Amino acid sequence: MVKFGYTILYVDNVENSIAFYENAFGFSRKFVTPENDYGELITGETTISFASKKLANQNLKEGFLESNLTNKPFGIEIGLITDDVPETVQKATSFGAVLVAEPIEKPWGQIVAYVRDPDGFLVEICTEI
């Protein structure tokens, strides 16, 4: 059996990234290493984790594409479910997220919006399907 355990985002500053997700979305930190090069949030069944780009470079000797707000987002997103999409988008942008797409109702009734976090990662904020 395989279980999806976590997603790790490679960031410049683990502490700042964790603080953004705590403030913008109300998550709680599970832990941060003493070196501040890795940390996890309590987000439900699947954990969002953060690793410093320095640590990532130690693990991925041939490098990786770095996320930032200057380039287009990667073709992947983090999906966060909420009962109030407009309020969550407003809160996220007040803590530094960049609005990509205003909340819109999809034909199946789901409300969906997109922001980019301060590290440039794409975040979908939506209601449950």
Side-chain angles (χ1 to χ4, degrees):
M1 180 181 132
V2 175
K3 177 181 175 183
F4 183 35
Y6 50 86
T7 295
I8 301 175
L9 305 179
Y10 299 156
V11 298
D12 287 318
N13 186 301
V14 170
E15 178 63 35
N16 289 349
S17 298
I18 284 186
F20 167 77
Y21 279 82
E22 288 175 319
N23 293 322
F25 303 115
F27 296 131
S28 298
R29 71 182 62 203
K30 186 173 180 179
F31 77 93
V32 176
T33 62
E35 302 81 15
N36 284 321
D37 62 356
Y38 180 80
E40 294 182 353
L41 291 170
I42 299 168
T43 59
E45 288 185 37
T46 304
T47 301
I48 299 174
S49 305
F50 302 88
S52 70
K53 291 178 181 175
K54 180 180 176 185
L55 179 62
N57 276 311
Q58 291 172 3
N59 295 330
L60 303 170
K61 300 296 183 193
E62 295 189 26
F64 56 92
L65 296 176
E66 294 187 19
S67 177
N68 60 55
L69 289 169
T70 305
N71 297 321
K72 289 183 180 183
F74 297 135
I76 188 170
E77 63 188 55
I78 296 170
L80 303 178
I81 298 170
T82 181
D83 291 333
D84 192 336
V85 173
E87 179 182 310
T88 304
V89 167
Q90 189 282 323
K91 188 173 180 184
T93 57
S94 76
F95 284 104
V98 175
L99 182 65
V100 174
E102 294 277 354
I104 187 169
E105 185 172 350
K106 298 293 186 177
W108 52 90
Q110 184 184 33
I111 307 296
V112 176
Y114 293 92
V115 299
R116 291 181 74 186
D117 75 9
D119 294 296
F121 293 101
L122 189 61
V123 180
E124 177 184 345
I125 301 170
C126 61
T127 55
E128 192 105 36
I129 295 180

